[in-house]
Amino acid sequence: MNADLIIYNIGQLVTGKELPVKDGETRMENIEVLNNGYIAVSGSEIMAVGSGEVPSKLIKFTTKLIDAEGCVVTPGMIDSHTHLVHGGSRENEFLDKIAGVPYIEILKRGGGILSSVKATVEATEDELVNAAKKSLRRMLSYGVTTVESKSGYGLDSETELKQLRVNERLKLEQEVDIVSTFMGAHALPEEYKDNREGFIQKVIELLPVIKERELAEFFDVFCEEGVFSNEESRKMYIEAQKYGFKLRIHADEIENTKGAELAKELQMYSADHLMAISEDGIKALKNSDVIANLLPGTSFSLGKDYAPARKMIDEGVQVALSTDYNPGSCPTENLQLIMQIAALKLKMKPKEIFKAVTINAAKSLGRDKRVGSIEEGKKADFVFFDSKNIEYILYHFGINHTSKVFKNGCLVYKK
Ligand code: IZC
Ligand code: ZN
């Protein structure tokens, strides 16, 4: 069969394919990087990948040929933890934050998540769609082709459903793939201060409604000291599991609440944040399929400790990296900056970082059969970087290295 599109002369092609782990390598460095690579595309899918001369049988007279001029090409990157859909912004709390008022203290004063809740309740569906599209366009420009998007700024049924409907519209109205997560338990509304149980029941009652309308695939809880306890979280997760939701968790972000252990127990797809993970938590994750989804932009922005990534990886935990894009603790859509922080602050190695934003991020979203690597039969999502090697992309920080993005075999972004 012939290809519709062939990209050739790729200096370093990060296919993202997982190879057997070599001696002296971590289980995060085992991704394939081909020199002088090519990719052949048929329709919206990858039909062949290799290095050296492009086999002539792939080329017909209508095949479009693109010379990558020796640059780096990687799979479309995946941002597997975002609070994409929200009203307003929180620069009004920024001065308090840099003066040292803790994140949870701002929330207790009715600010933080609760101030974004107010703005999201007030926003129309169209306003939310338009703001999210602007962010998605920015994410795409950084090389991101799949994004997880959570609700959680409604807390009442009507606004939670509105946020999830926005996700459905985004799936139809722009190029980036969206994975939808219901996060009704993101904070306790003030009116439930003395009725925690009542609020938890309301979240549980929404689960079948969301399932029936097919508005979300995942369920997530902010399991944190001062937000929802381990016990309260478990109760909601068990109900969500009964309705067939896949699970992910905000775990051990600020205080250790044994979130990682809960993720292992309930076989969640990912445990996210983990800045305060314990030895036992690391032990739980390393013996599981749970992806440790690290969000170092949040540590950077909150001025907090970083997750012990080096220790986790050296012990065999599988790691992903995401922005946590949200209006409070990490207001950036720039996944490349997060990757650069991962190199500088988490001491992750270049191959580990690219694995974390491609195939491992895909696993954390249950999408690894379709995206996350450049392999035959997968979606033709890939990114050109204006760089000869992957190290340079991490070293030259704070700028956008992407020069072209292909989604489903089509050019959707060009610098
Ligand atoms: O709006 O502050 N951590 N949720 C849990 C967030 C951060 C988002 C926010
Ligand atoms: Zn989050």
Side-chain angles (χ1 to χ4, degrees):
M1 217 178 48
N2 316 116
D4 298 316
L5 168 69
I6 291 178
I7 319 287
Y8 67 99
N9 191 20
I10 300 170
Q12 280 190 342
L13 173 56
V14 178
T15 68
K17 179 177 165 184
E18 294 186 88
L19 304 173
V21 180
K22 289 196 212 118
D23 269 355
E25 245 183 20
T26 65
R27 269 181 70 210
M28 287 287 301
E29 283 176 281
N30 63 332
I31 54 164
E32 183 180 61
V33 180
L34 300 173
N35 294 319
N36 188 22
Y38 66 83
I39 306 170
V41 175
S42 169
S44 60
E45 289 186 352
I46 292 156
M47 66 178 288
V49 186
S51 58
E53 191 93 6
V54 180
S56 59
K57 64 171 198 253
L58 291 173
I59 307 172
K60 59 182 170 185
F61 70 97
T62 52
T63 301
K64 185 174 166 60
L65 296 167
I66 296 179
D67 181 356
E69 297 173 3
C71 80
V72 170
V73 174
T74 75
M77 298 195 292
I78 298 172
D79 194 344
S80 56
H81 182 136
T82 86
H83 302 257
L84 169 70
V85 179
H86 58 261
S89 55
R90 309 217 294 257
E91 70 275 20
N92 59 327
E93 296 169 1
F94 188 55
L95 292 183
D96 276 347
K97 176 179 138 175
I98 52 184
V101 183
Y103 174 81
I104 291 287
E105 178 56 34
I106 293 177
L107 177 61
K108 281 186 185 150
R109 293 178 186 174
I113 295 172
L114 294 174
S115 93
S116 294
V117 167
K118 189 164 180 288
T120 307
V121 169
E122 285 166 6
T124 65
E125 197 172 298
D126 280 341
E127 285 167 346
L128 294 175
V129 168
N130 290 334
K133 276 185 184 168
K134 202 167 153 189
S135 286
L136 286 166
R137 192 68 209 160
R138 210 171 265 150
M139 289 172 170
L140 189 71
S141 79
Y142 289 111
V144 172
T145 51
T146 301
V147 169
E148 186 259 7
S149 170
K150 304 176 199 298
S151 69
Y153 292 124
L155 307 182
D156 66 68
S157 330
E158 200 184 317
T159 314
E160 286 295 312
L161 292 172
K162 177 170 76 178
Q163 273 193 281
L164 295 174
R165 279 198 309 272
V166 169
N167 279 347
E168 293 309 301
R169 276 186 57 187
L170 293 171
K171 288 181 188 176
L172 300 172
E173 296 179 20
Q174 54 77 56
E175 292 99 344
V176 177
D177 284 333
I178 303 290
V179 178
S180 184
T181 298
F182 170 47
M183 196 179 178
H186 189 195
L188 188 75
E190 273 183 318
E191 60 273 28
Y192 283 91
K193 221 169 52 212
D194 303 313
N195 182 15
R196 301 182 65 83
E197 197 42 47
F199 182 73
I200 289 168
Q201 275 314 319
K202 278 198 60 136
V203 172
I204 291 173
E205 281 162 21
L206 251 187
L207 290 165
V209 178
I210 289 165
K211 199 70 206 171
E212 153 101 14
R213 299 186 194 176
E214 294 181 23
L215 287 173
E217 187 177 337
F218 281 90
F219 178 65
D220 194 345
V221 175
F222 192 10
C223 176
E224 181 65 49
E225 194 78 53
V227 191
F228 296 100
S229 71
N230 188 299
E231 267 315 303
E232 290 168 339
S233 305
R234 174 190 277 103
K235 184 169 172 182
M236 292 184 268
Y237 279 120
I238 295 204
E239 292 302 318
Q241 224 164 19
K242 284 187 199 155
Y243 290 108
F245 283 91
K246 297 171 183 162
L247 311 182
R248 49 204 318 106
I249 180 170
H250 281 63
D252 307 327
E253 175 177 349
I254 298 162
E255 303 288 340
N256 184 284
T257 59
K258 296 192 191 296
E261 289 88 328
L262 186 61
K264 153 92 191 259
E265 179 196 327
L266 299 180
Q267 299 182 321
M268 298 194 192
Y269 278 71
S270 75
D272 300 34
H273 282 296
L274 306 174
M275 285 121 85
I277 191 171
S278 67
E279 287 284 344
D280 283 347
I282 295 177
K283 217 176 276 166
L285 294 188
K286 82 176 187 196
N287 297 311
S288 76
D289 291 327
V290 182
I291 300 283
N293 197 0
L294 307 184
L295 318 165
T298 306
S299 303
F300 176 74
S301 164
L302 292 179
K304 290 290 218 186
D305 288 343
Y306 288 88
R310 203 56 270 154
K311 182 171 167 58
M312 286 192 240
I313 292 171
D314 291 340
E315 295 203 11
V317 175
Q318 288 294 314
V319 166
L321 287 164
S322 305
T323 58
D324 192 19
Y325 170 57
N326 75 71
S329 62
C330 199
T332 182
E333 294 97 335
N334 184 346
L335 187 61
Q336 285 180 41
L337 178 62
I338 304 307
M339 294 158 69
Q340 293 152 354
I341 296 174
L344 293 168
K345 298 293 181 186
L346 301 186
K347 310 292 178 198
M348 285 174 66
K349 301 175 195 173
K351 282 187 179 177
E352 294 172 340
I353 291 171
F354 279 92
K355 186 175 184 188
V357 293
T358 57
I359 192 66
N360 275 13
K363 284 182 191 170
S364 92
L365 296 176
R367 289 286 198 280
D368 50 308
K369 297 269 184 296
R370 292 297 290 145
V371 293
S373 63
I374 300 174
E375 292 183 85
E376 198 187 322
K378 285 197 169 182
K379 280 193 184 213
D381 295 356
F382 42 82
V383 185
F384 284 45
F385 288 90
D386 191 8
S387 168
K388 300 284 179 213
N389 57 68
I390 58 173
E391 288 77 12
Y392 183 80
I393 298 165
L394 303 170
Y395 146 86
H396 188 168
F397 73 92
I399 64 150
N400 187 0
H401 294 275
T402 302
S403 56
K404 289 190 186 87
V405 181
F406 284 81
K407 183 86 190 72
N408 298 317
C410 298
L411 181 67
V412 289
Y413 168 81
K414 191 167 187 282
K415 191 173 276 172

